[in-house]
Each structure stands twice: as structure tokens, then as C-alpha cells.
Amino acid sequence: MSSGVLLICGAEIARYGFGGGHPFGPDRHEAFMRELHARGLDGRVRCGAARAATREELESFHTAEYIDQVRERSAGGHAYLDGGDTPAWRGLFEAASYVVGGTLNAVDAVMEGEVRRAFIPIGGLHHAARDQAAGFCVFNDCGVAIEMLRRRHGLRRIAYVDIDAHHGDGIFYAFEDDPDVLYADLHADGRFLYPGTGAAHETGIGAARGTKLNLPLPPDADDSDFLASWERVEAYLRAGQPQFILFQCGADSVAGDPLTSLRFSVRAHAHAAARLCAIADGLGHGRVVGMGGGGYNRRNLAEAWTGVVQAFLDSE
Ligand code: V1S
Ligand code: ZN
């Protein structure tokens, strides 16, 4: 078994974001990289650049019509891809394709045994649907990763774990009827926060009925609420025995985020990362890929995500 942690970073993914004071600004990558350097962790990880996802890879999750629409609107600029959260700009199609390619690089490196863990800060774009942009998310890198883990790497049971403050609706509804996609999501109760979904009774449909774990929290939930729900995530994963764990570790669940009112400390993110590594190791494969997700307070995202990378390194 190989060791080491791969970090996908660089200008290709840093460009993904929106200017003009939008919360998902392109400065988020730099905020994270500075903290990684300040903690001396940049020299302890292997760094890799992202590549652009191919059309075929994008089509594993998204519809051809939607991909064309993103290309056209982003070439034209100046329009929203959704109801007002996700502005199009010239170059957005390419930037969004690099985020997907970066997550696929991370997944491929883990599957090829080069590393056991990998992290991509500008990834985890969990709101994009197969045919629609939503909530700052153009292409759903997590969804493409799940599809490619199956098609390219032949895996069947894949776990998606999400502690971003917002419910991961793009993933949840895309795989709602698939019992082999394990889904565990801690988020602020949808009655109080976008996208309004992810109630506890949403456990999957059809063959997957009763197999998904949505854990909505009160809008001001703190670390003790997090830990109580997290116990259920661990039990769920141990019972489900996934062959790969994707971890969307949005830092907007940390106290002080301008978009949400959850009050986790950054210790929650490090704890979740450490426990996921222990679970993956216990299952005999050790495969964990972290994706940064949301987080709009720059200090918080820098501390939460470096905490995740530190936990990945400590688990080696
Ligand atoms: N929550 C929240 C939120 N805040 C904003 C927002 C704030 C300032 C801006 F200049 C632009 C947008 N939008 C929202 C949400 C979408 C949140 C997406 C989170 C993404 C993630 O962290 O989970 C993963 C990367 N959208 C809404 O609440 C919808 C509106 C209802 C309000 C905002 N207007 C702009 C569109 C409609
Ligand atoms: Zn979020």
C-alpha cells in the first residue's frame, strides 16, 4: 500500500469563482495555500495540477445539452446560469472543467495506489444537477467522480460524506434511487437555509429507499450537535462498507461564515477527516478524497481545510 497525500492545486482551479464581491471569489484558493504554507504543510504533501475534464467525462454525469449550454453562455458572458447565484463569464466553462479534471486526478491517483488520500480545495461543487447549474456550482465534480469510479475503476459501493452547511442536493437527487451510493450529509435544516432540501425523512427512493442518511441540524448547531450526528455517520459507513470515500468538507459550517449560522469549530472538519481515514483503513483500502466545498470566511476555510490535510497526513 502506498503512502502520502496528494494536493491538487494551482492556477487552473484557482480561477474557478466569481468576481465583483461574490462570496465564491477566486481568492479562496490563495487563502488556503497561504495557511498551508504558514503551517509548513505544503512541503509535506505531493502537489499536482488539475487537467481539464474531457467531454466524455463530463457526460458521465451531465447531459450533453447542459454542457453545450454552459459553453455557449460562458462564451457570451454576462448571464446567470441559474436564478441569480452563478454568473457566467468568459472562461467559466474551462475553469469548471478543470475543477472536475482536478477531482478526477485526485480519484485516479488514489485508485492507482500512488497515494491513499488526496485533497482538492476548489472542488465539492455539490449543487449542480445533471442538467442545471445551481448555487455557485457549474459542473458537479463529485457526481462525475462517482460515475468515473464505476466506469473507469469498476467500483460498486461508493460513499459520499458531506459536512458543508448546505445540503448536497445535486448528489442526493442524482443518486436517490441508487442503493450503492452511500450518502451521509450533515447540514443546516432546509427550513432555514438554501437549498431547502435534505429532511431526515429523505432516505432514498425505489430500490434505495431507506439507504441514505440526511441529518439536518438546527441553524445554530455547534460541535456537540456535530459530534452527536457524526456518530451516526460512522455507524452508517461501517455497516455500508464502501470501497471509496468522497468527503465534501465545506467550511461554511464553521462559526462566523457570512452565509450560514452553523457554529462548528474547525476541529469538526479535522475530526471528520481523521475518522474517515480510520474507517477507510479499517475497510482495508484507505481510499479518501477530500473536496473543499463551500466556506466564505477566508480565515475559516484556511483553518478548516488545512486541518483536513493535517489529519490526512497524521493518518499516514
Ligand atoms: N445561503 C446562501 C446564499 N447566499 C447567496 C449569495 C450571497 C451574496 C451574493 F452576492 C450572491 C449569492 N446565495 C445563496 C444561496 C446559494 C448558496 C450556495 C452555496 C454553495 C455551497 O457552499 O454549498 C457549495 C459551494 N442561494 C440562495 O439562497 C438563493 C437566492 C435564493 C438568494 C440569493 N440570490 C442571489 C439568488 C436567489
Ligand atoms: Zn455551502
Side-chain angles (χ1 to χ4, degrees):
M1 177 72 69
S2 63
S3 66
V5 175
L6 173 67
L7 174 71
I8 303 293
C9 58
E12 295 80 9
I13 58 166
R15 269 191 326 201
Y16 184 85
F18 311 94
H22 191 286
F24 201 123
D27 59 311
R28 297 167 76 249
H29 177 274
E30 181 61 17
F32 164 67
M33 293 302 289
R34 271 182 192 279
E35 182 68 15
L36 199 77
H37 179 69
R39 294 192 190 191
L41 299 182
D42 51 347
R44 296 183 53 201
V45 294
R46 303 187 199 180
C47 289
R51 63 177 172 82
T54 64
R55 172 92 192 188
E56 189 187 351
E57 288 166 341
L58 293 175
E59 279 191 20
S60 71
F61 182 82
H62 292 289
T63 64
E65 295 72 24
Y66 172 63
I67 297 167
D68 289 340
Q69 190 189 94
V70 174
R71 206 187 38 223
E72 283 155 22
R73 289 209 192 169
S74 98
H78 308 304
Y80 282 97
L81 294 177
D82 62 356
D85 279 317
T86 318
W89 49 270
R90 228 176 274 278
L92 177 62
F93 178 89
E94 288 73 21
S97 301
Y98 271 105
V99 172
V100 177
T103 297
L104 293 178
N105 278 357
V107 160
D108 289 346
V110 170
M111 285 309 298
E112 280 152 26
E114 291 167 30
V115 291
R116 286 193 301 168
R117 337 278 192 212
F119 183 75
I120 173 164
I122 312 302
L125 303 181
H126 60 175
H127 296 306
R130 292 191 187 272
D131 60 354
Q132 218 172 339
F136 319 160
C137 303
V138 176
F139 293 138
N140 195 322
D141 56 309
C142 332
V144 176
I146 291 170
E147 296 287 2
M148 295 311 295
L149 277 165
R150 289 175 155 174
R151 296 179 196 198
R152 183 172 292 155
H153 298 290
L155 297 192
R156 192 168 69 93
R157 282 177 81 69
I158 297 152
Y160 173 83
V161 178
D162 187 327
I163 63 168
D164 188 289
H166 301 93
H167 179 235
D169 56 348
I171 293 297
F172 182 76
Y173 294 111
F175 298 101
E176 193 181 18
D177 61 353
D178 186 336
D180 286 324
V181 175
L182 307 183
Y183 183 93
D185 192 330
L186 273 74
H187 49 271
D189 190 320
R191 287 174 297 180
F192 308 106
L193 189 69
Y194 178 93
T197 51
H201 65 77
E202 294 192 80
T203 62
I205 59 170
R209 195 161 170 215
T211 69
K212 317 275 179 193
L213 193 59
N214 272 306
L215 296 169
L217 296 167
D220 61 348
D222 63 13
D223 279 357
S224 61
D225 302 301
F226 166 80
L227 285 170
S229 290
W230 183 258
E231 289 298 316
R232 297 186 58 192
V233 175
E234 289 201 20
Y236 172 75
L237 293 175
R238 287 189 203 285
Q241 305 203 338
Q243 295 163 293
F244 199 104
I245 300 178
L246 289 166
F247 176 38
Q248 204 272 23
C249 55
D252 49 10
S253 46
V254 176
D257 189 89
L259 267 53
T260 91
S261 54
L262 287 184
R263 293 194 295 117
F264 299 174
S265 77
V266 293
R267 285 190 299 277
H269 292 65
H271 178 78
R275 298 304 305 157
L276 292 178
C277 290
I279 290 168
D281 288 349
L283 291 170
H285 54 70
R287 300 169 187 145
V288 183
V289 165
M291 300 161 293
Y296 306 101
N297 173 319
R298 277 35 178 177
R299 186 82 240 129
N300 284 353
L301 73 82
E303 290 183 8
W305 295 347
T306 49
V308 167
V309 172
Q310 179 78 65
F312 283 1
L313 285 164
D314 291 347
S315 74
E316 288 295 306

